[in-house]
Amino acid sequence: MSTVGTRLRGAPRVLRDPGVGVTLLIALVAGLVPLLDLGDDVFKLRVLWGVQLPLDLLLGVFCLRAARVTGVDRIVRSYMLTLAGTSIAFTIGDSYQFVRSLWWPVVADINGGLVPTITYLGGLLLVVFRMLSHKSPGGSRGERLRFHLDALTVLLGGGVLAWCFSFNPRSVAGLELVSALVAASVLLLAAFAAVKMVLSGTAPMTKGGSIPMIAAAGLLALTTALPIVDDDGIHPILMALRILAAALFAVGPRVQELQTLVKPDFRRERRHRPYNVLPYLAVAATLATFLIVMPDDLGYRAWGGVVGVIAVTAIVVIRQLLAFLDNFDLINRLDATLLDLRGHQAMLHEQATRDGLTRLANRTAFAEAVGADLADPRAVARGLAVLLIDLDDFKAVNDTLGHGVGDGLLTTVADRLRNAVRAKDLVSRLGGDEFAVLLRGVSEAEAAAMADRILADVVQPARVDGHMLVVKASIGVAPATPGDDPEGLMRNADIAMYAAKDAGKGGIQQYAADMGARILETVELGTRLREAVGTDQFSLVYQPVVDLPSGTVLGAEALVRWQPPGRPEIPPADFIPTAESTGEIVPLGRWILREACRQLAQWRRDHDAARDVTMAVNVAGRQLQTPGFVDEVAALLAEFAIPPDRLVIEITESAMLDEPVVLAALHGLRGLGLDLALDDFGTAASSLGLLLTCPMSGLKLDRSFVERLGIDSRPTAVATAVSQIARALDLTTVAEGVESPEQARLLSDLGYRRAQGFLYSPPLEPAAFAAGWKITSTV
């Protein structure tokens, strides 16, 4: 939008302002008194001075309000306060005049006596001092010289006008001449100060605020130079103009306040003009004055010289102005190019500090903000904390639904983070599915509470491109301490976040000093695991699944073992969680499934008794989310000629079974004819709900319920309920962790027909497993 358009839109707003309206209404009512000739001259004199008092007070109030606008710089505030001080001086003088008009009215003395003159000059000198102290523009020596020459040109032009029209030294004498010279000097000094401030290009007044005040100064000069009282009394138009001048002078600061409320940094946005017309106007005024005051009895020769001087001066001035105008288009184009370059610079800065997808601060901007706050001891004392937020299993969204849905989810999470934090906090996307929040002015307890609230907001289900997504996240909290550096604080938050993932994902962990060693062990284990997958360091052992109560072997569960060369064996409880968190569970699980199918096929070829044996293989949630998993299983069944009902896929309740992709994979496996067993049943809150949504054919009672049978009534009640549910839903049941004949007997009584545990056999090597297909218990 152009500047003209902006001004046109702003004008009605100013006219609708109550402060401006009241001021102009006061002037209108008072101005109607002389214009309509209401009352005698004494009454008009009292109205003239009486109306000055509310206008002086409004001037002071408006100046104070303009000085208090948030965001204005120190120079603007100081100038407004100076004008407020001037209003006090004006109020004192006008009060004196008003009282005098009430008790000792003298119409001929309408311009005031000694007291108002002193107060007016005092207020004027206060403003003049402030304007003279305004900093001149910088730049080269030539630019400073041109600035002072322009100011001097205007000053000399004003001096010529004052000398020729304000007084005639030959017509006055003594004290009157001295007073006239003093008044003229002060007015010239004020004019020079005003011109100096205007030419600086950084005047502490907006254009809208300065226009009424400049108009007021012009009206005051006019009504002071012309006789406001003549033989016919007070001149009505000049009196009305003087009242209007006082009103405009009061309106200026109010307009300034309204404009600075919208744009408090107006001084920084002013464009430097290539030239100023004030010196040329001063030259024109001086030439016009020269013509007016020339005596009428000059000869033709003198008039020829005068006209020649004026003509040459005018031609030079016009030529100079035309040169400016010729170059003005070029200057505008250069300005447009500069603005375009600044726009590109701002865009490059935006790209360098903002994430392109979410428009959050990027890693660079976040690190700079953290570094700046840590470098400020006061900020650290008030409390700082970094939250590192990582979306759990986000890769599965990209892999299964596409990057478009993944980007939509990231944008949704970014919006939730923006809404969850305070205005003084900073949210950043560090990259991928990792976000960070810099909390300012928080204690450790407040940071933990903020993390709880952020997690609650982030994990709400999100609908993206028609897909309802379950959002999960892990958060690490790292409070700052004196002496922390940005890299160390971010590392602490990262360690705490990985600790939250190791604790089961979807949680919050606050950094503790001993976390580093644990995380380092996990990272090292993940590295070793990545190197071991695909080598012969892994092997499978098989634990029999038997019939209750006969002990006949009905199947086997394949269990993985890791034996690094030259090191102790690593238990599955240590490396399986790491494999799941790093994604290595996918290639490792693929190998386990293939090796179990190969072993089952071999047993079926070598032993007739193995024809009816089933093979149970544990499958992780990430495997189910992998595209083509069902096809992989179908290919293995075909390759090793295994009947589908001989392969059992075991899935834990924590494998995101409510995800659409996982549910689709489960239905696909059931469509192949495989049995699906819900492993560790009863250990998660969603167990019963999963029985309604997942196509399961069997349940495995978790060992935590088996080991307390006969000792605690609650595990017995749970085991009984699970057996009854399974019978009602036509599901097979397997009891895990059976270690005593008493447990086996109780489970048999409760209706369980399958079991596994050390009572029957520990996990066996393939050859040892094949040595006997019937294991008799001591039931």
Side-chain angles (χ1 to χ4, degrees):
M1 179 69 68
S2 66
T3 304
V4 174
T6 304
R7 290 175 183 170
L8 290 176
R9 287 203 320 269
R13 179 172 178 266
V14 170
L15 294 177
R16 291 195 302 267
D17 177 69
V20 174
V22 169
T23 305
L24 296 180
L25 180 62
I26 292 174
L28 176 63
V29 172
L32 290 176
V33 171
L35 294 176
L36 299 179
D37 195 22
L38 303 177
D40 57 11
D41 284 350
V42 173
F43 176 73
K44 296 173 184 175
L45 180 67
R46 290 168 178 168
V47 170
L48 174 65
W49 293 113
V51 77
Q52 301 294 325
L53 296 179
L55 295 178
D56 290 340
L57 293 176
L58 287 172
L59 170 64
V61 171
F62 292 159
C63 288
L64 291 176
R65 288 175 59 92
R68 294 175 59 187
V69 172
T70 302
V72 298
D73 59 34
R74 180 182 56 82
I75 295 176
V76 175
R77 184 173 290 109
S78 175
Y79 186 73
M80 288 294 106
L81 292 176
T82 301
L83 285 180
T86 300
S87 71
I88 296 175
F90 287 177
T91 302
I92 294 173
D94 291 336
S95 299
Y96 174 83
Q97 283 295 94
F98 180 61
V99 172
R100 186 179 178 190
S101 68
L102 292 177
W103 298 99
W104 307 284
V106 179
V107 175
D109 197 17
I110 194 171
N111 287 325
L114 180 62
V115 173
T117 300
I118 293 174
T119 56
Y120 296 156
L121 288 178
L124 184 60
L125 287 174
L126 190 64
V127 178
V128 168
F129 174 77
R130 174 56 59 191
M131 291 190 294
L132 287 174
S133 63
H134 186 72
K135 187 177 180 180
S136 300
S140 65
R141 181 181 300 177
E143 289 175 335
R144 293 194 299 270
L145 178 60
R146 285 193 296 272
F147 166 78
H148 287 99
L149 288 176
D150 287 346
L152 184 60
T153 301
V154 176
L155 176 64
L156 292 176
V160 171
L161 291 174
W163 180 267
C164 295
F165 297 111
S166 296
F167 64 93
N168 185 353
R170 291 180 298 180
S171 63
V172 295
L175 185 60
E176 293 183 1
L177 176 61
V178 174
S179 300
L181 289 173
V182 170
S185 299
V186 172
L187 289 174
L188 287 176
L189 184 62
F192 174 75
V195 168
K196 177 177 179 290
M197 190 171 66
V198 170
L199 290 177
S200 70
T202 58
M205 288 286 292
T206 64
K207 290 183 179 179
S210 60
I211 289 175
M213 302 191 79
I214 292 174
L219 292 176
L220 284 174
L222 176 65
T223 57
T224 302
L226 298 176
I228 192 172
V229 178
D230 53 20
D231 295 339
D232 296 329
I234 296 177
H235 195 289
I237 295 178
L238 293 180
M239 177 179 169
L241 290 177
R242 182 169 292 188
I243 295 172
L244 177 61
L248 291 176
F249 200 69
V251 163
R254 178 58 181 172
V255 176
Q256 166 110 347
E257 178 193 358
L258 295 175
Q259 292 184 326
T260 52
L261 284 172
V262 178
K263 189 178 294 185
D265 55 348
F266 66 94
R267 293 196 329 131
R268 283 182 288 184
E269 298 186 8
R270 282 178 173 160
R271 292 177 56 192
H272 179 68
R273 295 181 60 183
Y275 66 92
N276 199 295
V277 298
L278 284 179
Y280 301 100
L281 292 177
V283 171
T286 303
L287 293 177
T289 302
F290 186 50
L291 285 175
I292 294 173
V293 300
M294 288 294 294
D296 296 333
D297 56 353
L298 283 180
Y300 290 106
R301 179 180 296 179
W303 274 110
V306 170
V307 172
V309 169
I310 294 176
V312 170
T313 304
I315 291 172
V316 171
V317 169
I318 293 172
R319 173 68 182 83
Q320 186 70 21
L321 288 175
L322 288 175
F324 280 132
L325 293 175
D326 288 340
N327 294 327
F328 196 68
D329 183 60
L330 175 61
I331 293 173
N332 281 337
R333 289 201 300 269
L334 291 175
D335 285 346
T337 302
L338 181 59
L339 290 175
D340 189 49
L341 290 175
R342 288 175 178 171
H344 283 295
Q345 182 182 16
M347 182 180 67
L348 291 175
H349 181 268
E350 176 82 4
Q351 293 175 349
T353 58
R354 292 285 169 183
D355 175 61
L357 175 64
T358 63
R359 311 314 301 164
L360 296 175
N362 62 13
R363 181 182 290 271
T364 300
F366 189 79
E368 290 177 353
V370 172
D373 283 1
L374 289 177
D376 184 358
R378 294 175 298 179
V380 177
R382 288 191 293 267
L384 293 173
V386 169
L387 308 185
L388 200 61
I389 304 159
D390 188 84
L391 301 184
D392 297 329
D393 304 307
F394 174 76
K395 184 176 182 298
V397 176
N398 275 341
D399 291 343
T400 57
L401 300 178
H403 289 276
V405 176
D407 289 347
L409 178 58
L410 291 174
T411 303
T412 300
V413 171
D415 291 338
R416 291 177 178 180
L417 289 174
R418 283 192 190 93
N419 295 330
V421 302
R422 304 161 301 174
K424 61 183 177 181
D425 301 325
L426 177 65
V427 181
S428 168
R429 181 190 175 207
L430 302 182
D433 61 347
E434 205 170 54
F435 297 85
V437 177
L438 175 60
L439 299 177
R440 296 182 170 107
V442 293
S443 63
E444 290 190 13
E446 290 169 338
M450 285 285 291
D452 286 332
R453 193 178 75 185
I454 288 173
L455 183 61
D457 289 346
V458 167
V459 300
Q460 296 297 318
R463 180 171 293 278
V464 180
D465 292 345
H467 301 278
M468 182 59 71
L469 304 179
V470 177
V471 185
K472 297 181 181 179
S474 299
I475 299 180
V477 183
T481 57
D484 280 345
D485 59 89
E487 183 179 350
L489 185 60
M490 292 288 291
R491 184 172 57 251
N492 292 346
D494 199 39
I495 290 173
M497 185 269 291
Y498 277 107
K501 285 185 175 293
D502 288 343
K505 299 184 180 180
I508 300 171
Q509 288 288 331
Q510 183 165 312
Y511 175 77
D514 62 340
M515 280 183 179
R518 299 202 305 267
I519 295 300
L520 182 60
E521 291 177 1
T522 302
V523 172
E524 291 178 351
L525 183 61
T527 302
R528 290 166 55 195
L529 182 64
R530 189 177 304 109
E531 295 171 349
V533 171
T535 69
D536 59 356
Q537 296 183 29
F538 293 97
S539 62
L540 295 184
V541 294
Y542 303 90
Q543 186 171 37
V545 177
V546 305
D547 174 69
L548 283 178
S550 67
T552 302
V553 175
L554 301 177
E557 180 180 3
L559 303 171
V560 66
R561 296 293 183 261
W562 182 14
Q563 178 63 67
R567 292 173 178 263
E569 181 180 300
I570 300 176
D574 290 345
F575 71 83
I576 291 297
T578 302
E580 291 182 344
S581 64
T582 60
E584 293 301 322
I585 193 64
V586 175
L588 179 59
R590 185 179 295 117
W591 176 84
I592 292 172
L593 183 60
R594 181 177 185 81
E595 177 62 18
C597 290
R598 186 200 63 79
Q599 185 61 65
L600 178 60
Q602 181 178 336
W603 284 339
R604 288 170 59 83
R605 287 193 307 267
D606 297 343
H607 306 280
D608 291 337
R611 305 295 292 181
D612 296 328
V613 170
T614 60
M615 178 67 75
V617 181
N618 288 280
V619 172
R622 281 208 173 187
Q623 291 177 265
L624 295 171
Q625 293 174 325
T626 304
F629 178 73
V630 176
D631 294 335
E632 289 181 17
V633 175
L636 288 174
L637 294 176
E639 179 182 352
F640 294 108
I642 299 174
D645 61 351
R646 297 297 90 192
L647 183 61
V648 180
I649 299 296
E650 295 186 359
I651 306 105
T652 60
E653 296 176 88
S654 59
M656 298 174 294
L657 299 180
D658 52 351
E659 291 281 357
V661 177
V662 175
L663 284 173
L666 293 177
H667 283 284
L669 293 173
R670 284 292 287 162
L672 293 177
L674 276 68
D675 284 333
L676 303 178
L678 196 56
D679 199 11
D680 302 329
F681 186 75
T683 58
S686 59
S687 298
L688 296 178
L690 291 175
L691 296 180
L692 300 177
T693 58
C694 297
M696 295 298 168
S697 55
L699 303 177
K700 296 191 74 172
L701 182 68
D702 188 67
R703 65 179 63 248
S704 61
F705 299 106
V706 175
E707 65 186 9
R708 301 293 295 174
L709 285 176
I711 300 173
D712 192 338
S713 60
R714 290 190 176 185
T716 303
V718 171
T720 303
V722 170
S723 177
Q724 294 173 348
I725 291 172
R727 283 198 301 270
L729 297 178
D730 194 23
L731 303 175
T732 61
T733 54
V734 179
E736 296 181 296
V738 180
E739 297 183 356
S740 69
E742 180 64 19
Q743 292 173 348
R745 185 185 63 79
L746 289 173
L747 288 168
S748 180
D749 292 342
L750 291 176
Y752 287 87
R753 293 295 175 259
R754 297 188 181 192
Q756 66 183 93
F758 278 78
L759 173 64
Y760 306 103
S761 173
L764 301 172
E765 297 291 336
F769 190 96
W773 293 104
K774 182 176 181 180
I775 302 175
T776 304
S777 72
T778 56
V779 177

